[in-house]
């Protein structure tokens, strides 16, 4: 729903507000958009993409460790520090990291959380696919040193 609202907001800005700021009438009226077959097809595709987006963009990775999480905790902290994350919350079963940069948080639409579940035998890392992959690769590099 959040992604769909962002897309609708972006379209409203480009189709309505920017033309109004330049002194022109909006290029399309709501009536024209609702009767234009191409625009309706485009809106249906955006709606479908917004439903599929969480499946595409987010992942959960199982990470097997040599030892327990507490044995490897300093490696995880180095990885998150290197990638520009800060600890948001810490409990015995779950640790949540977020990006330090507010600009990055804004550009990623607040979807920058990475959650580490330490209660299971393979530690699970959940978050945006690109962040989780970077964390996993960098963690491998720290372990190999």
């Amino acid at each position: 729903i959040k992604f769909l609202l962002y897309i609708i907001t972006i379209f409203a800005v480009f189709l309505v507000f920017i033309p109004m700021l330049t002194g022109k009438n909006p290029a399309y009226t709501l009536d024209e958009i609702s009767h234009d077959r191409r625009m309706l097809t485009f809106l249906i595709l955006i709606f479908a993409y917004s439903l599929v987006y969480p499946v595409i963009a987010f992942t959960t990775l199982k990470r097997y460790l040599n030892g327990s999480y507490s044995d490897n905790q300093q490696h995880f902290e180095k990885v998150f520090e290197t990638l520009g994350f800060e600890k948001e919350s810490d409990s015995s079963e779950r640790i949540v990291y977020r990006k330090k940069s507010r600009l990055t948080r804004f550009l990623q639409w607040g979807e920058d959380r990475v959650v580490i579940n330490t209660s299971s035998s393979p530690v699970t890392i959940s978050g945006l696919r690109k962040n989780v992959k970077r964390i996993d690769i960098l963690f491998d590099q720290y372990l190999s040193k």
Side-chain angles (χ1 to χ4, degrees):
I1 291 173
K2 182 165 72 169
F3 183 72
L4 184 62
L5 291 175
Y6 282 127
I7 293 295
I8 290 171
T9 304
I10 289 169
F11 274 100
V13 166
F14 282 109
L15 293 177
V16 177
F17 296 117
I18 290 178
M20 289 174 77
L21 289 175
T22 60
K24 299 178 184 176
N25 289 331
Y28 295 99
T29 63
L30 189 58
D31 188 48
E32 289 175 343
I33 290 173
S34 65
H35 289 90
D36 187 3
R37 187 178 189 118
R38 293 175 298 172
M39 190 60 81
L40 283 176
T41 304
F42 187 66
L43 291 174
I44 290 170
L45 288 173
I46 288 174
F47 181 74
Y49 181 73
S50 68
L51 293 176
V52 177
Y53 174 75
V55 176
I56 295 170
F58 294 92
T59 189
T60 299
L61 179 82
K62 291 182 180 180
R63 178 71 193 183
Y64 292 93
L65 303 173
N66 295 333
S68 66
Y69 174 78
S70 59
D71 296 338
N72 294 293
Q73 186 173 2
Q74 74 271 7
H75 295 299
F76 274 104
E77 289 175 0
K78 285 181 191 177
V79 166
F80 282 104
E81 184 180 324
T82 302
L83 293 175
F85 284 88
E86 64 185 357
K87 195 178 291 189
E88 183 180 53
S89 66
D90 189 1
S91 69
S92 61
E93 297 179 359
R94 188 177 155 184
I95 302 167
V96 179
Y97 286 92
R98 290 194 75 183
K99 285 286 195 177
K100 289 180 184 177
S101 169
R102 291 184 190 263
L103 177 63
T104 304
R105 286 184 189 177
F106 175 74
L107 292 176
Q108 291 182 351
W109 297 343
E111 301 290 345
D112 61 331
R113 275 191 185 88
V114 176
V115 179
I116 300 176
N117 186 356
T118 60
S119 64
S120 58
S121 176
V123 173
T124 58
I125 305 170
S126 304
L128 274 176
R129 185 175 302 276
K130 67 178 185 175
N131 289 337
V132 169
K133 292 295 181 184
R134 287 178 184 159
I135 290 164
D136 189 46
I137 291 169
L138 196 56
F139 188 74
D140 280 338
Q141 290 176 358
Y142 277 119
L143 285 179
S144 66
K145 290 182 180 178

